[in-house]
Amino acid sequence: MKKFIFAVALSLFAFVSAPAFAKANCKAYPKSEWMSEADAKAKIEAQGYTISKFKVDGNCYEIYGRNKAGKKVEIYYDAKTLEPVKSEIEK
């Protein structure tokens, strides 16, 4: 029984300590320098994206949505410059 409990505890420790999926590494700026969320959304949509979810993730703006081709996208943007930092596109 002790071996079983040890194995379960070890498994839980490995799961909890496993590295999370890598997030985008956006430069930190004072919030007063960030582009407003409304302006960021408008600029992203003007590029042809449809936004289904927009959120702040650390120092980044993150969107979930679709590109011009209708494929699902997840994109992290620099909150000041709105330059894409990391993106994933449905294949």
Side-chain angles (χ1 to χ4, degrees):
M1 183 68 172
K2 287 182 182 181
K3 287 182 181 180
F4 174 76
I5 292 172
F6 177 75
V8 170
L10 187 59
S11 297
L12 287 173
F13 175 77
F15 177 77
V16 170
S17 64
F21 292 109
K23 292 193 172 200
N25 188 18
C26 294
K27 186 174 178 182
Y29 300 101
K31 296 262 184 180
S32 61
E33 295 181 18
W34 287 24
M35 182 179 294
S36 74
E37 289 187 25
D39 288 345
K41 289 176 188 179
K43 188 171 182 180
I44 293 166
E45 289 172 340
Q47 295 171 359
Y49 293 98
T50 303
I51 301 171
S52 58
K53 184 175 184 180
F54 182 98
K55 68 179 197 171
V56 174
D57 186 354
N59 294 310
C60 303
Y61 283 142
E62 180 184 11
I63 68 147
Y64 295 88
R66 295 192 178 269
N67 64 13
K68 291 178 187 177
K71 295 193 180 224
K72 290 182 182 179
V73 296
E74 177 182 359
I75 307 172
Y76 292 83
Y77 292 94
D78 181 290
K80 179 178 178 179
T81 66
L82 209 63
E83 290 296 317
V85 176
K86 180 181 173 184
S87 64
E88 294 181 25
I89 301 172
E90 174 185 63
K91 295 183 182 188

